[in-house]
């Protein structure tokens, strides 16, 4: 099923997982998926390491298994940085043969020289390419706090609109910890004529190193309320985990009440945390959007 069709009835609830590292025990991801599939999410997306490395094969296999073994819709991520058109065709052909219908088309993060060899400069190039040769449902990334490389909010929205015009059917945000960024962004996206549904990306922050890495990589602002929680519980692993779960539940409750199209939970491959959050919000997401 194409994910863009899921938004008609009620807020969508979806999950993200990442494939195991090359030397890791592969059975662990299947235990994780087994437990996550109990949640009956609308779909599960599988990340893909930029640069077209071998882990991409795992993305395709896992996305295919999510559908065929667990009966849950899947989305395969695909970052285009460093890929030639021939390589992109090969990957997309394999995704199509594996029965995958939904692609999250991304640029990927730039590293030194990473895009020198490739044929794609931006996600929009990949989106146009997919639309020219295939019939996938296409999802794209968006940034309530602006992409770190962006020259400003207006430009960022202009390029987002361009991604939608090139063929993106549905958008998922980068994580944010202050919902007001999401509401502001959603309003501006609407003014910019972006009509694709926008799912809010929520990452339960359960350890200090994780959030420090995210702030550095994504430029996410830490609200005062969040910093207070972090400082109070940073030396107590269990308390910080529970506080991170409670914070994510609070964010989701507010987002659903404000009519968000959907919630995309970055699970970090942790079914325990995903279950705690889902158990707390499942009645909220089962209410049809028109009533909310
Ligand atoms: P783009 O849309 O190309 O945007 C990048 C920058 O260029 C922005 O500043 C934008 O304003 C600007 N821009 C966009 N289009 C144009 C244009 N045509 N001309 C000029 N400027 C333009 N990375 C991975 O490697 N693997 C993953 O699996 C992965 N999954 C992700 C999932 C989500 C939901 C999100 C939000 C991000 C994910 N990322 C992943 C990270 C992503 O690859 C990075 O954020 C990357 O830096 C930008 O990707 P993009 O697709 O948004 O790029």
């Amino acid at each position: 099923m194409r994910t863009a069709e899921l938004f008609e009835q009620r807020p969508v609830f979806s999950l993200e997982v990442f494939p195991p590292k090359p030397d890791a025990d592969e059975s662990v991801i299947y235990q994780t998926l087994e437990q996550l599939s109990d949640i009956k999410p609308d779909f599960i997306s599988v990340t893909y390491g930029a640069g077209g490395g071998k882990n991409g094969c795992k993305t395709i296999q896992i996305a295919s298994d999510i559908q065929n073994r667990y009966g849950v819709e899947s989305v395969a991520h695909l970052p285009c940085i460093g890929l030639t058109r021939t390589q992109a065709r090969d990957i997309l052909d394999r995704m199509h043969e594996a029965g995958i219908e939904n692609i999250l088309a991304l640029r990927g993060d730039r590293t030194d020289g990473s895009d020198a060899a490739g044929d794609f400069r931006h996600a929009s190039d990949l989106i146009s390419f997919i639309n020219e040769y295939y019939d996938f449902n296409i999802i794209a990334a968006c940034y309530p706090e602006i992409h770190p490389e962006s020259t400003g909010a207006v430009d960022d929205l202009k390029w987002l609109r361009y991604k939608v015009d090139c063929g993106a059917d549905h958008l998922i945000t980068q994580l944010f910890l202050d919902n007001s960024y999401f509401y502001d962004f959603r309003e501006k996206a609407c003014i910019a004529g972006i009509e694709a549904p926008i799912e809010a990306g929520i990452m339960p922050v359960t350890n200090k190193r994780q959030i420090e890495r995210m702030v550095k990589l994504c430029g996410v602002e830490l609200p005062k309320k969040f910093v207070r929680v972090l400082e109070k519980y940073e030396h107590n692993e269990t308390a910080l985990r529970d506080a991170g779960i409670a914070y994510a539940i609070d964010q989701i409750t507010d987002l659903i009440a404000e009519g968000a199209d959907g919630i995309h939970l970055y699970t970090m491959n942790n079914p325990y945390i995903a279950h705690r959050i889902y158990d707390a919000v499942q009645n909220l997401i089962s209410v049809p959007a028109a009533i909310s």
Side-chain angles (χ1 to χ4, degrees), residues 16 46-50 77 79 104-110 121-125 141-143 147 149-151 155-156 159 162-163 172-174 264 266:
E16 180 192 278
V46 189
T47 67
Y48 191 124
H77 295 209
L104 174 42
L106 298 145
R107 187 195 67 185
D109 282 322
R110 282 192 171 130
R121 290 288 163 268
H122 286 286
S124 50
D125 300 334
C142 59
Y143 303 84
H147 185 268
E149 287 167 33
S150 177
T151 41
D155 282 349
D156 218 34
W159 293 123
Y162 184 61
K163 286 203 274 197
I172 303 181
T173 76
Q174 179 176 262
H264 187 65
Y266 296 106

Side-chain angles (χ1 to χ4, degrees), residues 67-123:
Q67 293 184 172
N68 301 324
R69 271 206 222 177
Y70 305 105
V72 175
E73 194 50 65
S74 72
V75 170
H77 295 209
L78 179 57
C80 59
I81 200 158
L83 293 182
T84 62
R85 288 166 71 89
T86 309
Q87 286 169 323
R89 278 209 84 134
D90 175 55
I91 296 168
L92 289 159
D93 284 348
R94 282 189 284 134
M95 288 178 170
H96 176 67
E97 280 156 23
I100 294 163
E101 279 190 84
N102 303 291
I103 310 274
L104 174 42
L106 298 145
R107 187 195 67 185
D109 282 322
R110 282 192 171 130
T111 50
D112 284 346
S114 59
D115 55 353
D119 288 334
F120 303 92
R121 290 288 163 268
H122 286 286

Side-chain angles (χ1 to χ4, degrees), residues 6 8 26 42 64 66-67 74 84-85 91-92 106 127 140 159 163 183 189 198-199 214 216 221 236 249-250 263 287:
L6 293 165
E8 283 155 24
E26 298 231 347
D42 289 300
S64 165
I66 287 171
Q67 293 184 172
S74 72
T84 62
R85 288 166 71 89
I91 296 168
L92 289 159
L106 298 145
I127 293 168
W159 293 123
K163 286 203 274 197
Y183 301 135
I198 305 175
E199 266 194 285
M214 288 304 159
K216 201 166 156 221
E221 192 188 300
N236 184 327
I249 292 169
D250 192 37
I263 304 296
V287 176

